[in-house]
Amino acid sequence: MSRRPVNPTRRVVDSGSISLGGSSQTKSRSSPLLSIGLVLLGVIVFIVYSYSSSGWSRGVDVVNKFEGGVSCTLELQQALPILKKAYGDSLHKVLHVGPDTCSVVSKLLKEEDTEAWGVEPYDIDDADNHCQKLVRKGIVRVADIKFPLPYRAKSFSLVMVSDALDYLSPRYLNRTLPELARVASEGIVIFTGYPGQQRAKVAELAKFGRPAKLRSSSWWIRYFVQTSLEENEAATKKFEQAAAKRSYKPPCQIFHLKAYP
């Protein structure tokens, strides 16, 4: 005659103690189910998080992409209150050039009396709906910055650039920098990395066709002189004063330049 299997739950109730054999069987049966449940929960949380955010989702994405490295685009966003102090009314019509420009433009558009446009140096097929909307409206354009920008001369009061020039050789810088100066009426602000700095290793950056070449401030200053670009001393002084009041020490090099006359 076959014996009926003992119910571990009943054994606990009857004896008032936990059977080690029953406990190990229950654990072995439930562990795979528990693991699967935790994985599914993680996937659900990730999906909800990804799609619940609006325009700021691209900003969060930048933090993730540049984890372990320095993002001057993210730093530019952090420095916007200080830039506003330094440039005042010059911040009313701004062009940002660089990766993840949708996040920068979105933040600028939240500022009172500020118009903003952006140029994305590479494809944004994986961009969120908010970014795609900015592209459809023509606020953000995808353009190769090694070629002339699709804007008329002095279209913007201020041009901001971040995480873009580090990937250009001097040959292409000779084309791009004069273009930035051409479309600016009052000034240019450039955020670039320091030599020896760890930079992001993300798939998008490969589209620049070369690794980032981080140059010293003396290299940049000599290059600006060669291209007839002068330092905007007034803006530099105001920025430094505002930064000192906030104890702000940027991890990126910041250059303030005058536009061409």
Side-chain angles (χ1 to χ4, degrees), residues 33-47:
L33 294 177
L34 180 61
S35 299
I36 294 172
L38 290 174
V39 171
L40 290 175
L41 180 60
V43 171
I44 292 171
V45 170
F46 176 79
I47 293 173

Side-chain angles (χ1 to χ4, degrees), residues 100-145:
D100 205 66
T101 191
C102 288
S103 291
V104 179
V105 169
S106 296
K107 196 161 188 177
L108 284 167
L109 290 174
K110 292 181 180 293
E111 297 290 334
E112 188 177 356
D113 299 325
T114 298
E115 300 176 29
W117 287 262
V119 173
E120 176 70 48
Y122 46 73
D123 292 337
I124 51 174
D125 295 334
D126 60 342
D128 59 22
N129 290 333
H130 179 72
C131 186
Q132 295 289 358
K133 187 176 180 180
L134 292 175
V135 173
R136 288 194 297 270
K137 288 183 175 181
I139 296 173
V140 170
R141 297 189 181 187
V142 180
D144 191 336
I145 60 174

Side-chain angles (χ1 to χ4, degrees), residues 130-193:
H130 179 72
C131 186
Q132 295 289 358
K133 187 176 180 180
L134 292 175
V135 173
R136 288 194 297 270
K137 288 183 175 181
I139 296 173
V140 170
R141 297 189 181 187
V142 180
D144 191 336
I145 60 174
K146 296 190 294 293
F147 299 96
L149 295 173
Y151 302 105
R152 295 179 180 176
K154 302 188 183 301
S155 294
F156 309 97
S157 55
L158 191 66
V159 174
M160 298 181 180
V161 193
S162 60
D163 287 321
L165 301 185
D166 292 333
Y167 297 90
L168 296 180
S169 65
R171 173 189 173 188
Y172 289 116
L173 279 173
N174 287 336
R175 301 178 185 178
T176 301
L177 272 176
E179 273 295 291
L180 298 175
R182 180 184 68 82
V183 300
S185 62
E186 297 180 33
I188 309 163
V189 184
I190 297 174
F191 281 66
T192 184

Side-chain angles (χ1 to χ4, degrees), residues 205-216:
L205 299 187
K207 297 180 182 179
F208 282 106
R210 58 184 285 123
K213 185 173 180 59
L214 305 179
R215 293 127 172 161
S216 66

